[in-house]
Amino acid sequence: MSRIQPTAPVPAYEELRVPVHGGELAVLRWPAADPGAPVVLALHGITANGLSWARVAHHLAGRVTLLAPDLRGRARSAGLPGPYGIAAHADDMAAVAARLAPGPVVLTGHSMGAFTAALTAVRHPALPSALLLVDGGVAFPVPTGLEPDELIAAVLGPALARLSMTFEDRDAYRAFWRRHPGFAAAWSPWADAYIQRDLVGTEPELRSSCALEAVRVDGIDQLGAEVAGAIHRLPLPARLLWAERGLMDEPQGLYDEDRLAAAQLDPERLRTRRVPGTNHYTILVGDAGARLVADRLLAEAGVAAP
């Protein structure tokens, strides 16, 4: 175990290694002030890493323990081999909970992490005490008539393209992300720490840590019937927070009222809430979005927010 103190004000965290199929998974832990406090297990998106939850950790302020793994094929877990896929991630999460959490956890996920959280709840129904989905977990419209790889490229766009890019130094990678429409208005030390964790290699050929095959397999799997259908098979009621705007800060987000109605969700099993003023990224890494997510997690954990 190592203890990391990033540049303030990103809160300090511990980095743990948990045995899983094929090796060890890296897990970031922001411990609660009270060792007996509830545990939140938080899953990141398809090309992200555990530090995407750092700003939420800031607002949780040690009232719960937050566990945020680098999923298989990303960041410090990039060396883990396949098989990839959402079910593999779900089983990895069961291993993380068994090793690091004494009982049921509040399970949450953002984007692909939300689909993974939903399938984790289905495959391991004793694991979650509550389930919070953040701009993901419910199938959304995708272009038709495309081959799987074309479909993933259409959905992920620049997020996928950068996986084949190299950067001469960390400032170049920072500049790339600061130009991204989804981040431009919400840059912070939290966002910077998160994107810098992704880099591997040496200058002048730094690159993303994400394994292309992991992203490809997970992306195709996320759009398949088993994963998309998990939302209709949940073993417990859940909540969805959805962003008003999309991945490139465009007005059309992944969800809107019509899309959620078309998904034929059971309102007794999934309560939904639009988060105005956020896009797909800032609902998690922006200050207002992270604060709302943290407050909702505290409520699900039975811990009072300030």
Side-chain angles (χ1 to χ4, degrees):
M1 178 184 75
S2 58
R3 185 170 179 82
I4 310 297
Q5 177 62 67
T7 302
V10 179
Y13 58 88
E14 302 164 338
E15 185 165 333
L16 312 175
R17 309 294 298 186
V18 173
V20 294
H21 177 72
E24 293 183 327
L25 197 75
V27 181
L28 310 186
R29 179 170 66 182
W30 287 269
D34 176 1
V39 175
V40 173
L41 178 57
L43 316 184
H44 64 69
I46 192 166
T47 63
N49 61 70
L51 267 186
S52 63
W53 292 90
R55 200 157 197 173
V56 173
H58 168 76
H59 287 300
L60 291 171
R63 285 164 288 181
V64 297
T65 289
L66 177 64
L67 303 175
D70 290 336
L71 296 180
R72 183 180 294 263
R74 284 86 173 168
R76 305 298 191 272
S77 301
L80 275 171
Y84 303 112
I86 307 303
H89 295 311
D91 293 346
D92 286 346
M93 295 310 100
V96 169
R99 174 62 68 98
L100 299 179
V105 301
V106 176
L107 184 61
T108 188
H110 170 247
S111 193
M112 186 198 77
F115 287 90
T116 304
L119 190 65
T120 300
V122 170
R123 289 175 67 89
H124 304 280
L127 188 155
S129 61
L131 178 61
L132 176 67
L133 309 177
V134 182
D135 216 37
V138 178
F140 47 82
V142 296
T144 58
L146 299 179
E147 294 296 320
D149 287 337
E150 295 173 322
L151 182 59
I152 295 307
V155 172
L156 294 179
L160 186 64
R162 87 168 196 282
L163 304 188
S164 300
M165 298 171 63
T166 58
F167 301 85
E168 63 180 15
D169 56 29
R170 291 184 174 273
D171 283 341
Y173 198 51
R174 181 178 293 112
F176 172 87
W177 277 107
R178 293 196 72 165
R179 292 191 300 269
H180 191 293
F183 281 78
W187 194 256
S188 69
W190 292 271
D192 189 57
Y194 151 52
I195 66 101
Q196 294 292 339
R197 184 173 176 83
D198 180 46
L199 281 180
V200 294
T202 56
E203 298 178 1
E205 293 188 350
L206 298 172
R207 58 179 175 79
S208 169
S209 63
C210 295
L212 277 168
E213 183 64 9
V215 172
R216 177 183 176 276
V217 171
D218 292 349
I220 294 171
D221 196 26
Q222 176 183 310
L223 301 175
E226 179 187 7
V227 176
I231 197 70
H232 300 289
R233 308 193 306 274
L234 295 177
L236 76 172
R239 291 178 180 267
L240 167 67
L241 301 177
W242 55 277
E244 183 177 48
R245 301 175 70 85
L247 280 76
M248 301 298 288
D249 201 42
E250 68 273 28
Q252 177 61 64
L254 295 181
Y255 304 111
D256 57 30
E257 299 291 355
D258 291 339
R259 290 181 175 184
L260 291 172
Q264 299 183 322
L265 304 167
D266 181 350
E268 299 298 319
R269 304 293 290 172
L270 184 68
R271 300 179 64 181
T272 67
R273 176 180 175 181
R274 178 176 67 96
V275 184
T278 64
N279 63 43
H280 181 69
Y281 295 106
T282 61
I283 195 173
L284 191 69
V285 303
D287 188 64
R291 184 186 300 274
L292 179 62
V293 170
D295 286 350
R296 187 68 253 164
L297 290 171
L298 292 171
E300 298 292 348
V303 177

Short mmCIF file of all heavy atoms in Angstrom, two decimals, residues 43-48 52-53 71 86 108-119 132-140 155-156 159 194 218 222 227 240-243 247 254-255 279-281 283-284:
data_model
loop_
_atom_site.label_atom_id
_atom_site.label_comp_id
_atom_site.label_asym_id
_atom_site.label_seq_id
_atom_site.Cartn_x
_atom_site.Cartn_y
_atom_site.Cartn_z
N LEU A 43 -17.19 3.37 -9.68
CA LEU A 43 -16.62 2.84 -10.92
C LEU A 43 -16.58 3.93 -11.99
O LEU A 43 -17.55 4.65 -12.20
CB LEU A 43 -17.47 1.66 -11.42
CG LEU A 43 -17.88 0.64 -10.35
CD1 LEU A 43 -18.63 -0.51 -10.97
CD2 LEU A 43 -16.68 0.16 -9.56
N HIS A 44 -15.47 4.01 -12.70
CA HIS A 44 -15.25 5.08 -13.68
C HIS A 44 -15.70 4.68 -15.07
O HIS A 44 -16.12 3.56 -15.34
CB HIS A 44 -13.78 5.51 -13.67
CG HIS A 44 -12.82 4.44 -14.11
ND1 HIS A 44 -12.74 3.99 -15.41
CD2 HIS A 44 -11.87 3.74 -13.42
CE1 HIS A 44 -11.79 3.08 -15.51
NE2 HIS A 44 -11.25 2.90 -14.31
N GLY A 45 -15.57 5.64 -16.00
CA GLY A 45 -16.00 5.44 -17.37
C GLY A 45 -14.99 4.70 -18.23
O GLY A 45 -13.91 4.30 -17.78
N ILE A 46 -15.31 4.57 -19.51
CA ILE A 46 -14.63 3.61 -20.38
C ILE A 46 -13.16 3.96 -20.64
O ILE A 46 -12.34 3.06 -20.79
CB ILE A 46 -15.41 3.44 -21.70
CG1 ILE A 46 -14.89 2.26 -22.50
CG2 ILE A 46 -15.39 4.73 -22.52
CD1 ILE A 46 -15.80 1.82 -23.62
N THR A 47 -12.79 5.23 -20.69
CA THR A 47 -11.38 5.60 -20.88
C THR A 47 -10.87 6.42 -19.71
O THR A 47 -9.89 7.18 -19.86
CB THR A 47 -11.18 6.38 -22.19
OG1 THR A 47 -11.91 7.62 -22.13
CG2 THR A 47 -11.64 5.59 -23.40
N ALA A 48 -11.48 6.27 -18.56
CA ALA A 48 -11.13 7.07 -17.38
C ALA A 48 -10.29 6.26 -16.41
O ALA A 48 -9.70 5.23 -16.77
CB ALA A 48 -12.41 7.60 -16.72
N SER A 52 -11.01 9.98 -11.41
CA SER A 52 -12.17 10.76 -11.86
C SER A 52 -13.12 11.04 -10.69
O SER A 52 -13.95 11.96 -10.75
CB SER A 52 -12.92 10.03 -12.98
OG SER A 52 -13.45 8.79 -12.54
N TRP A 53 -12.98 10.29 -9.59
CA TRP A 53 -13.84 10.46 -8.41
C TRP A 53 -13.22 11.37 -7.36
O TRP A 53 -13.77 11.53 -6.27
CB TRP A 53 -14.17 9.09 -7.80
CG TRP A 53 -15.05 8.28 -8.69
CD1 TRP A 53 -14.67 7.40 -9.67
CD2 TRP A 53 -16.48 8.29 -8.71
NE1 TRP A 53 -15.77 6.87 -10.28
CE2 TRP A 53 -16.89 7.40 -9.72
CE3 TRP A 53 -17.45 8.97 -7.96
CZ2 TRP A 53 -18.24 7.17 -10.00
CZ3 TRP A 53 -18.79 8.75 -8.24
CH2 TRP A 53 -19.17 7.86 -9.25
N LEU A 71 -10.18 0.37 -13.41
CA LEU A 71 -10.73 -0.86 -13.97
C LEU A 71 -9.70 -1.57 -14.85
O LEU A 71 -8.77 -0.95 -15.38
CB LEU A 71 -11.99 -0.55 -14.76
CG LEU A 71 -13.17 0.02 -13.95
CD1 LEU A 71 -14.36 0.28 -14.85
CD2 LEU A 71 -13.55 -0.90 -12.80
N ILE A 86 -17.87 -6.21 -19.57
CA ILE A 86 -18.52 -5.65 -18.39
C ILE A 86 -18.69 -6.71 -17.30
O ILE A 86 -18.55 -6.40 -16.11
CB ILE A 86 -19.87 -5.03 -18.77
CG1 ILE A 86 -19.70 -4.03 -19.93
CG2 ILE A 86 -20.49 -4.32 -17.56
CD1 ILE A 86 -18.72 -2.91 -19.65
N THR A 108 -21.77 2.74 -6.97
CA THR A 108 -22.05 3.82 -7.90
C THR A 108 -21.12 3.70 -9.10
O THR A 108 -20.07 3.06 -9.04
CB THR A 108 -21.89 5.20 -7.22
OG1 THR A 108 -22.34 6.22 -8.10
CG2 THR A 108 -20.45 5.47 -6.81
N GLY A 109 -21.52 4.34 -10.20
CA GLY A 109 -20.70 4.33 -11.39
C GLY A 109 -21.08 5.45 -12.32
O GLY A 109 -22.23 5.89 -12.34
N HIS A 110 -20.09 5.91 -13.07
CA HIS A 110 -20.30 7.00 -14.04
C HIS A 110 -20.09 6.45 -15.45
O HIS A 110 -19.13 5.74 -15.71
CB HIS A 110 -19.30 8.13 -13.77
CG HIS A 110 -19.27 9.17 -14.85
ND1 HIS A 110 -18.18 9.38 -15.66
CD2 HIS A 110 -20.22 10.07 -15.25
CE1 HIS A 110 -18.44 10.37 -16.51
NE2 HIS A 110 -19.66 10.80 -16.28
N SER A 111 -21.00 6.78 -16.38
CA SER A 111 -20.87 6.40 -17.77
C SER A 111 -20.79 4.88 -17.89
O SER A 111 -21.68 4.18 -17.41
CB SER A 111 -19.64 7.11 -18.37
OG SER A 111 -19.62 7.03 -19.76
N MET A 112 -19.74 4.32 -18.52
CA MET A 112 -19.64 2.86 -18.56
C MET A 112 -19.63 2.27 -17.16
O MET A 112 -20.11 1.15 -16.93
CB MET A 112 -18.38 2.42 -19.31
CG MET A 112 -18.29 0.90 -19.52
SD MET A 112 -16.63 0.30 -19.93
CE MET A 112 -15.82 0.34 -18.32
N GLY A 113 -19.08 3.01 -16.20
CA GLY A 113 -19.08 2.53 -14.82
C GLY A 113 -20.47 2.33 -14.27
O GLY A 113 -20.69 1.46 -13.41
N ALA A 114 -21.44 3.11 -14.77
CA ALA A 114 -22.82 2.93 -14.33
C ALA A 114 -23.40 1.63 -14.88
O ALA A 114 -24.12 0.90 -14.18
CB ALA A 114 -23.67 4.12 -14.76
N PHE A 115 -23.09 1.33 -16.15
CA PHE A 115 -23.52 0.04 -16.70
C PHE A 115 -22.86 -1.11 -15.93
O PHE A 115 -23.50 -2.13 -15.66
CB PHE A 115 -23.15 -0.05 -18.18
CG PHE A 115 -23.99 0.82 -19.08
CD1 PHE A 115 -23.63 2.12 -19.37
CD2 PHE A 115 -25.16 0.32 -19.63
CE1 PHE A 115 -24.41 2.93 -20.19
CE2 PHE A 115 -25.96 1.11 -20.46
CZ PHE A 115 -25.58 2.42 -20.74
N THR A 116 -21.59 -0.94 -15.59
CA THR A 116 -20.89 -1.97 -14.82
C THR A 116 -21.49 -2.12 -13.43
O THR A 116 -21.66 -3.24 -12.93
CB THR A 116 -19.40 -1.62 -14.71
OG1 THR A 116 -18.85 -1.44 -16.02
CG2 THR A 116 -18.62 -2.71 -13.98
N ALA A 117 -21.84 -1.00 -12.80
CA ALA A 117 -22.45 -1.07 -11.47
C ALA A 117 -23.78 -1.80 -11.53
O ALA A 117 -24.10 -2.62 -10.65
CB ALA A 117 -22.63 0.34 -10.91
N ALA A 118 -24.58 -1.51 -12.56
CA ALA A 118 -25.87 -2.20 -12.69
C ALA A 118 -25.67 -3.69 -12.87
O ALA A 118 -26.37 -4.51 -12.24
CB ALA A 118 -26.65 -1.60 -13.86
N LEU A 119 -24.73 -4.10 -13.72
CA LEU A 119 -24.50 -5.53 -13.93
C LEU A 119 -23.88 -6.16 -12.70
O LEU A 119 -24.17 -7.33 -12.38
CB LEU A 119 -23.62 -5.76 -15.15
CG LEU A 119 -23.53 -7.22 -15.60
CD1 LEU A 119 -24.89 -7.74 -16.06
CD2 LEU A 119 -22.49 -7.41 -16.70
N LEU A 132 -26.35 3.98 -7.11
CA LEU A 132 -26.49 5.30 -7.72
C LEU A 132 -25.78 5.28 -9.07
O LEU A 132 -24.57 5.02 -9.14
CB LEU A 132 -25.87 6.38 -6.83
CG LEU A 132 -25.88 7.80 -7.42
CD1 LEU A 132 -27.31 8.32 -7.55
CD2 LEU A 132 -25.03 8.75 -6.57
N LEU A 133 -26.51 5.58 -10.13
CA LEU A 133 -25.97 5.64 -11.48
C LEU A 133 -25.81 7.10 -11.88
O LEU A 133 -26.69 7.92 -11.64
CB LEU A 133 -26.91 4.93 -12.45
CG LEU A 133 -27.34 3.51 -12.04
CD1 LEU A 133 -28.34 2.95 -13.04
CD2 LEU A 133 -26.13 2.59 -11.90
N VAL A 134 -24.67 7.41 -12.51
CA VAL A 134 -24.36 8.78 -12.89
C VAL A 134 -24.15 8.84 -14.41
O VAL A 134 -23.14 8.37 -14.92
CB VAL A 134 -23.12 9.31 -12.14
CG1 VAL A 134 -22.86 10.77 -12.52
CG2 VAL A 134 -23.29 9.17 -10.63
N ASP A 135 -25.13 9.38 -15.11
CA ASP A 135 -25.11 9.55 -16.56
C ASP A 135 -24.68 8.28 -17.29
O ASP A 135 -23.81 8.30 -18.16
CB ASP A 135 -24.21 10.73 -16.97
CG ASP A 135 -24.80 11.48 -18.17
OD1 ASP A 135 -26.03 11.60 -18.25
OD2 ASP A 135 -24.02 11.95 -19.02
N GLY A 136 -25.31 7.20 -16.93
CA GLY A 136 -25.06 5.92 -17.57
C GLY A 136 -25.93 4.85 -16.96
O GLY A 136 -26.67 5.09 -16.00
N GLY A 137 -25.86 3.65 -17.51
CA GLY A 137 -26.61 2.52 -16.96
C GLY A 137 -27.90 2.23 -17.69
O GLY A 137 -28.42 1.11 -17.61
N VAL A 138 -28.46 3.22 -18.39
CA VAL A 138 -29.67 3.06 -19.19
C VAL A 138 -29.27 3.17 -20.65
O VAL A 138 -28.57 4.12 -21.04
CB VAL A 138 -30.72 4.13 -18.84
CG1 VAL A 138 -31.96 3.98 -19.73
CG2 VAL A 138 -31.10 4.04 -17.37
N ALA A 139 -29.69 2.21 -21.47
CA ALA A 139 -29.33 2.24 -22.89
C ALA A 139 -29.81 3.53 -23.54
O ALA A 139 -30.89 4.03 -23.24
CB ALA A 139 -29.93 1.04 -23.60
N PHE A 140 -28.98 4.10 -24.42
CA PHE A 140 -29.31 5.33 -25.12
C PHE A 140 -29.22 5.09 -26.62
O PHE A 140 -28.59 4.12 -27.07
CB PHE A 140 -28.36 6.47 -24.70
CG PHE A 140 -26.91 6.09 -24.68
CD1 PHE A 140 -26.15 6.09 -25.84
CD2 PHE A 140 -26.31 5.71 -23.48
CE1 PHE A 140 -24.82 5.71 -25.81
CE2 PHE A 140 -24.97 5.34 -23.45
CZ PHE A 140 -24.22 5.35 -24.62
N VAL A 155 -19.71 6.60 -31.06
CA VAL A 155 -20.20 6.94 -29.72
C VAL A 155 -19.13 7.67 -28.92
O VAL A 155 -19.41 8.67 -28.24
CB VAL A 155 -20.66 5.66 -28.98
CG1 VAL A 155 -20.98 5.97 -27.52
CG2 VAL A 155 -21.88 5.06 -29.67
N LEU A 156 -17.89 7.20 -28.99
CA LEU A 156 -16.83 7.75 -28.14
C LEU A 156 -16.09 8.92 -28.76
O LEU A 156 -15.55 9.76 -28.04
CB LEU A 156 -15.83 6.64 -27.78
CG LEU A 156 -16.37 5.51 -26.91
CD1 LEU A 156 -15.27 4.49 -26.66
CD2 LEU A 156 -16.91 6.03 -25.60
N ALA A 159 -12.61 10.73 -27.50
CA ALA A 159 -12.11 9.94 -26.37
C ALA A 159 -11.40 8.69 -26.86
O ALA A 159 -10.42 8.24 -26.26
CB ALA A 159 -13.26 9.57 -25.44
N TYR A 194 -6.65 13.78 -12.36
CA TYR A 194 -7.33 12.66 -13.02
C TYR A 194 -6.74 12.37 -14.39
O TYR A 194 -6.40 11.22 -14.71
CB TYR A 194 -8.82 12.98 -13.08
CG TYR A 194 -9.59 12.37 -14.22
CD1 TYR A 194 -9.55 11.01 -14.50
CD2 TYR A 194 -10.41 13.18 -15.02
CE1 TYR A 194 -10.27 10.47 -15.54
CE2 TYR A 194 -11.15 12.64 -16.06
CZ TYR A 194 -11.07 11.29 -16.33
OH TYR A 194 -11.79 10.76 -17.36
N ASP A 218 -15.06 -3.67 -24.15
CA ASP A 218 -16.01 -3.13 -23.19
C ASP A 218 -17.07 -2.27 -23.87
O ASP A 218 -18.25 -2.30 -23.50
CB ASP A 218 -15.28 -2.29 -22.14
CG ASP A 218 -14.39 -3.11 -21.23
OD1 ASP A 218 -14.49 -4.35 -21.26
OD2 ASP A 218 -13.58 -2.51 -20.50
N GLN A 222 -20.94 -3.10 -23.74
CA GLN A 222 -21.85 -2.17 -23.07
C GLN A 222 -23.13 -1.96 -23.88
O GLN A 222 -24.20 -1.72 -23.31
CB GLN A 222 -21.14 -0.83 -22.89
CG GLN A 222 -21.99 0.28 -22.29
CD GLN A 222 -21.24 1.59 -22.21
OE1 GLN A 222 -20.12 1.64 -21.72
NE2 GLN A 222 -21.82 2.65 -22.73
N VAL A 227 -25.90 -6.41 -20.96
CA VAL A 227 -25.53 -5.26 -20.14
C VAL A 227 -26.64 -4.21 -20.16
O VAL A 227 -27.04 -3.69 -19.12
CB VAL A 227 -24.19 -4.66 -20.62
CG1 VAL A 227 -23.86 -3.40 -19.83
CG2 VAL A 227 -23.08 -5.70 -20.48
N LEU A 240 -30.83 7.37 -10.75
CA LEU A 240 -30.02 7.84 -11.87
C LEU A 240 -29.98 9.36 -11.84
O LEU A 240 -31.01 10.03 -11.84
CB LEU A 240 -30.63 7.37 -13.19
CG LEU A 240 -30.08 8.04 -14.47
CD1 LEU A 240 -28.62 7.65 -14.70
CD2 LEU A 240 -30.94 7.69 -15.69
N LEU A 241 -28.76 9.92 -11.81
CA LEU A 241 -28.54 11.34 -12.03
C LEU A 241 -28.04 11.50 -13.46
O LEU A 241 -27.05 10.88 -13.84
CB LEU A 241 -27.49 11.88 -11.05
CG LEU A 241 -27.78 11.74 -9.56
CD1 LEU A 241 -26.60 12.25 -8.74
CD2 LEU A 241 -29.06 12.46 -9.17
N TRP A 242 -28.73 12.30 -14.26
CA TRP A 242 -28.33 12.43 -15.66
C TRP A 242 -28.01 13.88 -16.01
O TRP A 242 -28.63 14.81 -15.54
CB TRP A 242 -29.34 11.83 -16.61
CG TRP A 242 -30.76 12.32 -16.52
CD1 TRP A 242 -31.72 11.89 -15.65
CD2 TRP A 242 -31.40 13.30 -17.34
NE1 TRP A 242 -32.91 12.53 -15.88
CE2 TRP A 242 -32.74 13.41 -16.92
CE3 TRP A 242 -30.97 14.10 -18.40
CZ2 TRP A 242 -33.65 14.28 -17.50
CZ3 TRP A 242 -31.87 14.98 -19.00
CH2 TRP A 242 -33.19 15.05 -18.55
N ALA A 243 -26.97 14.03 -16.85
CA ALA A 243 -26.47 15.34 -17.22
C ALA A 243 -27.34 15.96 -18.30
O ALA A 243 -27.82 15.29 -19.21
CB ALA A 243 -25.03 15.23 -17.72
N LEU A 247 -21.26 14.68 -24.24
CA LEU A 247 -19.84 14.48 -24.05
C LEU A 247 -19.01 15.66 -24.52
O LEU A 247 -17.94 15.93 -23.97
CB LEU A 247 -19.37 13.21 -24.78
CG LEU A 247 -19.63 11.86 -24.10
CD1 LEU A 247 -21.09 11.45 -24.24
CD2 LEU A 247 -18.74 10.77 -24.69
N LEU A 254 -26.76 12.38 -23.23
CA LEU A 254 -27.08 10.97 -23.44
C LEU A 254 -28.55 10.70 -23.18
O LEU A 254 -29.16 9.83 -23.82
CB LEU A 254 -26.22 10.09 -22.52
CG LEU A 254 -24.71 10.09 -22.75
CD1 LEU A 254 -24.04 9.15 -21.76
CD2 LEU A 254 -24.37 9.72 -24.18
N TYR A 255 -29.14 11.45 -22.26
CA TYR A 255 -30.52 11.22 -21.86
C TYR A 255 -31.32 12.51 -21.94
O TYR A 255 -30.78 13.62 -21.86
CB TYR A 255 -30.58 10.68 -20.41
CG TYR A 255 -29.77 9.42 -20.23
CD1 TYR A 255 -28.60 9.42 -19.47
CD2 TYR A 255 -30.14 8.23 -20.85
CE1 TYR A 255 -27.84 8.28 -19.32
CE2 TYR A 255 -29.39 7.08 -20.71
CZ TYR A 255 -28.24 7.10 -19.94
OH TYR A 255 -27.48 5.97 -19.81
N ASN A 279 -22.51 18.68 -18.01
CA ASN A 279 -22.38 17.79 -19.17
C ASN A 279 -21.92 16.42 -18.68
O ASN A 279 -21.81 16.17 -17.47
CB ASN A 279 -21.45 18.39 -20.23
CG ASN A 279 -20.01 18.57 -19.76
OD1 ASN A 279 -19.44 17.70 -19.10
ND2 ASN A 279 -19.41 19.72 -20.10
N HIS A 280 -21.66 15.54 -19.64
CA HIS A 280 -21.33 14.16 -19.28
C HIS A 280 -20.13 14.06 -18.34
O HIS A 280 -20.07 13.15 -17.51
CB HIS A 280 -21.07 13.36 -20.56
CG HIS A 280 -20.73 11.93 -20.33
ND1 HIS A 280 -21.64 11.01 -19.87
CD2 HIS A 280 -19.57 11.24 -20.49
CE1 HIS A 280 -21.08 9.82 -19.76
NE2 HIS A 280 -19.81 9.94 -20.13
N TYR A 281 -19.20 14.99 -18.45
CA TYR A 281 -18.01 14.96 -17.60
C TYR A 281 -18.20 15.79 -16.33
O TYR A 281 -17.83 15.35 -15.23
CB TYR A 281 -16.78 15.46 -18.38
CG TYR A 281 -16.39 14.57 -19.52
CD1 TYR A 281 -16.65 14.95 -20.84
CD2 TYR A 281 -15.78 13.35 -19.31
CE1 TYR A 281 -16.30 14.13 -21.90
CE2 TYR A 281 -15.42 12.52 -20.36
CZ TYR A 281 -15.69 12.91 -21.66
OH TYR A 281 -15.35 12.10 -22.71
N ILE A 283 -20.70 16.51 -14.61
CA ILE A 283 -21.57 15.95 -13.58
C ILE A 283 -20.75 15.20 -12.53
O ILE A 283 -21.19 15.03 -11.39
CB ILE A 283 -22.64 15.03 -14.22
CG1 ILE A 283 -23.76 14.74 -13.20
CG2 ILE A 283 -22.02 13.75 -14.75
CD1 ILE A 283 -24.94 13.98 -13.79
N LEU A 284 -19.53 14.81 -12.89
CA LEU A 284 -18.66 14.11 -11.95
C LEU A 284 -17.45 14.95 -11.53
O LEU A 284 -17.09 14.96 -10.36
CB LEU A 284 -18.16 12.80 -12.58
CG LEU A 284 -17.44 11.85 -11.62
CD1 LEU A 284 -18.43 11.27 -10.61
CD2 LEU A 284 -16.75 10.72 -12.38
#
